[in-house]
Amino acid sequence: MDKPKVVLGVSGGIAAYKACELLRRLTESGHDVRVVPTGSALHFVGAATWSALSGNPVSTEVWDDVHEVPHVRIGQGADLVVVAPATADTLAKAAHGLADDLLTNTLLTARCPVVFAPAMHTEMWEHPATQENVATLRRRGAVVIEPAVGRLTGVDTGKGRLPDPAEIFEVCRRVLARGVTEPDLRGRHVVVSAGGTREPLDPVRFLGNRSSGKQGYALARTAAARGARVTLVAANTGLPDPAGVDVVPVGTAVQLREAVVKAAADADAVVMAAAVADFRPAVYAAGKIKKKDGQEPEPIVLVRNPDILAEISADRARPGQVVVGFAAETDDVLANGRTKLARKGCDLLVVNEVGERKTFGAEENEAVVLGADGSETPVPHGPKEALADTVWDLVAERLR
Ligand code: CTP
């Protein structure tokens, strides 16, 4: 089988060096990558590096190898074009259809999915010109990854950093796997909760659970690759931020509720993949709880936590909002799932069987998605991304 053909466009920003890692991940995972830098990109990383890492010739201009008509052929033959970093200038040229070098020509001739990973100073990102260009590119079907927040060139910090190349690679993988040029969640805001809450007993101890957060992160990542604006409310996960996703870290169930309710106010869909503690200790000991010689330990008194899924299902922040829950069951999986779906009042419930060695922390998952309309969608054993895509298929159907 032919290797999937990827064009890696690199424009002139300091983050160009990070594209080397993206290139390495793409080639090592079996993609045939043609790097097309802009002239300015070569100020940051030279052509020899791109050529050596990709194993392909590198050119910035349409005037090299003219007999091969590269300004048309490279774009026509691509299965994916990813521009990382995409500068304000490259976004502007792409939005306006300018074609004054090999990369911009390639963008005009490509009919495959296109991903832009912008990186620039915050002021340039926030400028209405850039924002309108981004909106234009998204409207036409490109996936434009939101920049990350953090350290920029020099002493500045703010929004505009290129996300982690490993996470841009994940977006590319998801977009390539779907192969569609019309991202079906574009213009949508989705909220995903992930991980497991921790309910503190004292400054060093908590009641927690075994959720790794991987399924929630897979949901966030796949939604971003399908064009959605994503808020990920993450409870104690320690996982790297998915590219283009707004991550809100939380600790307890009460904090998770606050963050989810706030983000849900303008959301089209809310997916509660987090394992939320049903109870928390009634009292929090300000100092470490000590054992006392010859005395039995004090019992821990628990109080109920809010049921977030039931609450957002009952009070939809906007009409047509789709609410999805997860059910972790050990016995009578489907029957318990149906009862839980009715009790929680959500639209979809992803039911999976859990146990010591099942689901928690694993890379793969298997589930049945139950619909309030009586539907039942089995998802065979496979990567957590595959289950995530099935959930978004069902959500997208309900949003239409
Ligand atoms: N959930 C929630 N708030 C809680 C508990 C759970 O929003 N206080 C959500 C979870 O995020 C998940 C769903 O409810 O989407 C089901 O969680 P699960 O633990 O399986 O259900 P419980 O309501 O806790 O029911 P039980 O423990 O009786 O099985």
Side-chain angles (χ1 to χ4, degrees):
M1 227 172 70
D2 278 351
K3 289 178 171 181
K5 286 191 166 49
V6 176
V7 172
L8 171 59
V10 183
S11 48
I14 186 70
Y17 77 92
K18 294 189 188 170
C20 298
E21 156 134 24
L22 175 60
L23 170 56
R24 201 179 52 75
R25 284 182 185 264
L26 286 165
T27 52
E28 281 179 3
S29 55
H31 300 87
D32 179 13
V33 189
R34 178 82 196 239
V35 183
V36 184
T38 63
S40 332
L42 296 185
H43 288 293
F44 295 96
V45 179
T49 301
W50 301 123
S51 190
L53 287 177
S54 68
N56 275 318
V58 168
S59 168
T60 61
E61 300 304 327
V62 296
W63 308 115
D64 299 327
D65 303 315
V66 176
H67 63 287
E68 288 175 1
V69 205
H71 75 289
V72 179
R73 294 283 177 264
I74 294 174
Q76 280 177 337
D79 297 302
L80 174 78
V81 177
V82 50
V83 185
T87 56
D89 181 64
T90 295
L91 293 171
K93 283 180 179 157
H96 292 275
L98 300 184
D100 60 354
D101 62 5
L102 189 55
L103 177 57
T104 44
N105 274 273
T106 299
L107 285 167
L108 279 185
T109 50
R111 293 294 176 271
C112 58
V114 179
V115 174
F116 290 95
M120 63 197 75
H121 260 71
T122 312
E123 292 83 352
M124 296 175 88
W125 172 252
E126 287 176 348
H127 195 286
T130 305
Q131 286 301 307
E132 280 171 31
N133 291 332
V134 167
T136 300
L137 293 167
R138 284 184 175 148
R139 184 164 38 76
R140 291 194 197 128
V143 172
V144 185
I145 300 172
E146 287 287 310
V149 177
R151 181 80 193 273
L152 304 171
T153 324
V155 294
D156 298 344
T157 55
K159 189 164 184 174
R161 259 174 83 86
L162 190 74
D164 184 354
E167 293 297 326
I168 300 175
F169 169 68
E170 290 300 330
V171 174
C172 293
R173 242 168 31 98
R174 299 311 311 155
V175 172
L176 253 174
R178 289 182 63 73
V180 293
T181 50
E182 290 292 313
D184 56 353
L185 294 177
R186 76 177 148 191
R188 303 292 190 181
H189 177 209
V190 305
V191 178
V192 177
S193 70
T197 61
R198 289 180 182 176
E199 309 300 324
L201 276 163
D202 68 17
V204 292
R205 303 183 181 96
F206 57 82
L207 299 180
N209 60 69
R210 291 155 57 89
S211 174
S212 68
K214 285 180 184 166
Q215 184 61 60
Y217 275 59
L219 281 155
R221 205 179 270 134
T222 47
R226 292 168 74 149
R229 175 161 75 86
V230 186
T231 306
L232 175 62
V233 180
N236 311 299
T237 58
L239 298 171
D241 290 356
V245 167
D246 185 15
V247 181
V248 184
V250 295
T252 66
V254 168
Q255 290 166 355
L256 189 128
R257 179 195 163 273
E258 197 184 317
V260 167
V261 168
K262 185 170 169 224
D266 70 346
D268 297 287
V270 182
V271 181
M272 285 292 297
V276 184
D278 289 320
F279 307 100
R280 66 176 182 275
V283 282
Y284 171 73
K288 188 181 171 195
I289 301 167
K290 295 286 202 185
K291 56 183 171 304
K292 297 186 189 90
D293 284 343
Q295 276 185 25
E296 287 298 310
E298 291 283 326
I300 296 168
V301 180
L302 300 174
V303 292
R304 282 292 285 267
N305 268 331
D307 189 326
I308 307 159
L309 179 60
E311 178 185 339
I312 53 174
S313 298
D315 301 322
R316 308 273 169 143
R318 56 196 280 193
Q321 185 178 68
V322 180
V323 179
V324 185
F326 271 69
E329 302 291 342
T330 52
D331 316 283
D332 288 335
V333 177
L334 282 187
N336 279 335
R338 274 277 161 223
T339 313
K340 196 170 281 183
L341 175 69
R343 180 158 55 79
K344 301 272 187 175
C346 51
D347 302 293
L348 295 163
L349 189 76
V350 184
V351 189
N352 53 35
E353 199 177 336
V354 293
E356 286 277 335
R357 251 169 254 94
K358 280 194 182 136
T359 302
F360 287 121
E363 300 301 332
E364 306 217 314
N365 207 349
E366 164 181 359
V368 179
V369 189
L370 303 178
D373 54 4
S375 64
E376 211 166 276
T377 312
V379 186
H381 190 80
K384 289 185 171 179
E385 272 81 11
L387 173 56
D389 264 330
T390 304
V391 170
W392 294 125
D393 288 344
L394 296 167
V395 167
E397 245 170 53
R398 280 155 181 81
L399 286 174
R400 271 196 289 274

